[in-house]
């Protein structure tokens, strides 16, 4: 296949590339010499990231408006990268939402399912279609899943989010085992508290509170995560597969403790009402009336 855009290192798909961590990963991989399918459910966000890349003189991008929870969308995003850059080299499953929140006694099962659809099924679909592409190409490839320190411990996020991220860490291991004979590596990155819009709190005040939320004096940034992704997809990480690299400023050395979320102004487990946050997708957060949370 003749590539439409010549690149030094082939194509990468980055999901959730319209904002925060995914945007930083997309820009970093472009600087590293990959062509990037900028994949996000929010079309304005896709255009913003492509515009930022262009401002840096990075033009090896293709827009891929896609919902990672929809298999046909994920397939289309992978196909776009292969068509545009002739080969897929890297898949980064990063798209995320805050998801279902509230006390466990009030959790609405549909919110749980919607959370897992994005955070777990989305990673499965990205892994499935990237692995198929690598196998068809008869070439090695790398899949990086963005999990979370919340996948290792309680008290860092809401129930559904933490359980979903633990599932991502597990899926990373099992996919790595199956794909290793084909020289396809699968690794995860598990960030701690990173200053992005996901919590809807990317303010100076929130940044100051994050500065003291973990042992490291200062808050985590999207570039801290992107740098690790850049390493994981490179040759120096050639013997790394099936593991998760924790990028948390030492947070998991002691664990978050019972009051960490309250101290930074986020406390989903202690909210009396249950609901679901769709993060920065543009879909509004839903909080259920108390009478609804015992149904379904
Ligand atoms: N910010 C943190 O502190 C933190 C910590 C640990 C892990 N993470 C993980 O890092 C990843 C990125 O988070 P972020 O903080 O950059 O969030 P963000 O809200 O800043 O950006 C997330 C992006 O994903 C997109 N997205 C959401 N649902 C999607 C879907 N169904 N299909 C396609 N795109 C979708 C959004 O539109 C948005 O552009 C997530 O997986 C998140 O769980 C974040």
């Amino acid at each position: 296949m003749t590539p439409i855009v010549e690149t030094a290192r082939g194509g990468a798909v980055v999901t959730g590339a319209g904002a925060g961590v995914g945007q930083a990963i997309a820009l970093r991989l472009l600087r590293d010499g990959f062509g990037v399918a900028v994949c996000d459910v929010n079309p304005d966000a896709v255009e913003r990231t492509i515009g930022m890349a262009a401002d840096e003189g990075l033009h090896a991008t293709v827009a891929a408006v896609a919902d990672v929870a929809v298999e046909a969308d994920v397939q289309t995003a992978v196909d776009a990268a292969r068509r545009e850059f002739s080969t897929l080299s890297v898949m980064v499953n990063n798209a995320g939402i805050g998801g279902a929140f509230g006390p466990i006694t009030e959790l609405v099962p549909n919110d749980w399912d919607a959370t897992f659809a994005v955070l777990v099924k989305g990673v499965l679909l990205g892994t499935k279609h990237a692995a198929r592409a690598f196998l068809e190409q008869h070439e090695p490839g790398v899949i990086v899943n963005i999990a979370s320190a919340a996948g290792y411990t309680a008290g860092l996020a809401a129930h559904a989010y933490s359980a979903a991220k633990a599932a991502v860490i597990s899926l990373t291991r099992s996919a790595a085992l199956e794909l290793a004979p084909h020289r396809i590596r699968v690794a995860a990155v598990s960030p701690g508290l990173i200053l992005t819009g996901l919590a809807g709190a990317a303010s100076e005040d929130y940044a100051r509170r994050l500065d003291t939320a973990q042992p490291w004096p200062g808050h985590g940034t999207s570039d801290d995560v992107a740098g690790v992704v850049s390493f994981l997809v490179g040759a120096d990480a050639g013997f790394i597969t099936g593991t998760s690299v924790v990028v948390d400023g030492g947070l998991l050395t002691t664990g978050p403790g019972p009051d960490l979320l309250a101290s930074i102004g986020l406390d989903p487990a202690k909210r009396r009402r249950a609901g679901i946050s769709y993060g920065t997708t543009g879909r509004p957060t839903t909080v259920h009336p108390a009478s609804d949370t015992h149904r379904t």
Side-chain angles (χ1 to χ4, degrees):
M1 203 186 301
T2 310
I4 298 173
V5 179
E6 295 282 354
T7 62
R9 297 178 70 184
V13 175
V14 181
T15 71
V21 169
Q23 183 176 74
I25 294 169
L27 293 171
R28 178 61 192 257
L29 294 185
L30 283 163
R31 290 179 207 123
D32 288 350
F34 293 96
V36 174
V38 177
C39 171
D40 203 288
V41 73
N42 180 339
D44 296 340
V46 168
E47 288 313 317
R48 249 192 323 272
T49 298
I50 289 177
M52 286 171 73
D55 289 346
E56 272 193 51
L58 302 165
H59 298 289
T61 50
V62 60
V65 177
D67 181 342
V68 295
V70 176
E71 181 157 24
D73 282 16
V74 175
Q75 166 95 67
T76 302
V78 168
D79 289 349
R82 291 183 76 185
R83 194 179 50 247
E84 200 76 8
F85 311 118
S86 93
T87 180
L88 184 76
S89 304
V90 166
M91 177 86 205
V92 183
N93 294 307
N94 161 82
I97 57 174
F101 59 79
I104 204 154
T105 47
E106 303 298 322
L107 269 179
V108 172
N110 285 345
D111 292 347
W112 179 276
D113 291 346
T115 308
F116 269 63
V118 177
L119 294 183
V120 186
K121 187 167 74 169
V123 172
L124 163 73
L125 294 175
T127 303
K128 172 181 171 176
H129 287 283
R132 280 189 174 188
F134 298 147
L135 293 171
E136 281 171 21
Q137 293 167 181
H138 302 289
E139 278 175 26
V142 189
I143 298 166
V144 180
N145 300 326
I146 306 302
S148 171
Y152 290 89
T153 187
L156 200 45
H159 302 292
Y161 184 93
S162 296
K165 293 300 188 178
V168 170
I169 293 165
S170 177
L171 182 61
T172 300
R173 280 192 213 107
S174 58
L177 175 66
E178 181 178 310
L179 297 171
H182 304 285
R183 298 186 179 276
I184 297 169
R185 295 190 293 110
V186 189
V189 179
S190 292
L193 295 160
I194 306 295
L195 187 67
T196 70
L198 184 60
S203 64
E204 263 183 42
D205 188 37
Y206 184 63
R208 256 195 310 278
R209 281 180 270 153
L210 285 196
D211 284 346
T212 53
Q214 60 279 305
W216 192 259
H219 60 265
T221 68
S222 296
D223 285 336
D224 290 326
V225 181
V228 176
V229 173
S230 170
F231 164 71
L232 284 173
V233 303
D236 284 345
F239 199 50
I240 295 178
T241 196
T243 196
S244 159
V245 180
V246 176
V247 182
D248 72 343
L251 180 61
L252 289 183
T253 56
T254 57
D259 295 325
L260 179 108
L261 288 181
S263 75
I264 60 170
L266 304 172
D267 200 357
K270 286 184 184 161
R271 285 185 206 165
R272 282 194 309 117
R273 291 282 183 79
I276 182 163
S277 159
Y278 292 98
T280 59
T281 55
R283 283 184 72 181
T285 295
T286 303
V287 180
H288 302 295
S291 56
D292 282 359
T293 57
H294 295 291
R295 293 195 209 135
T296 58

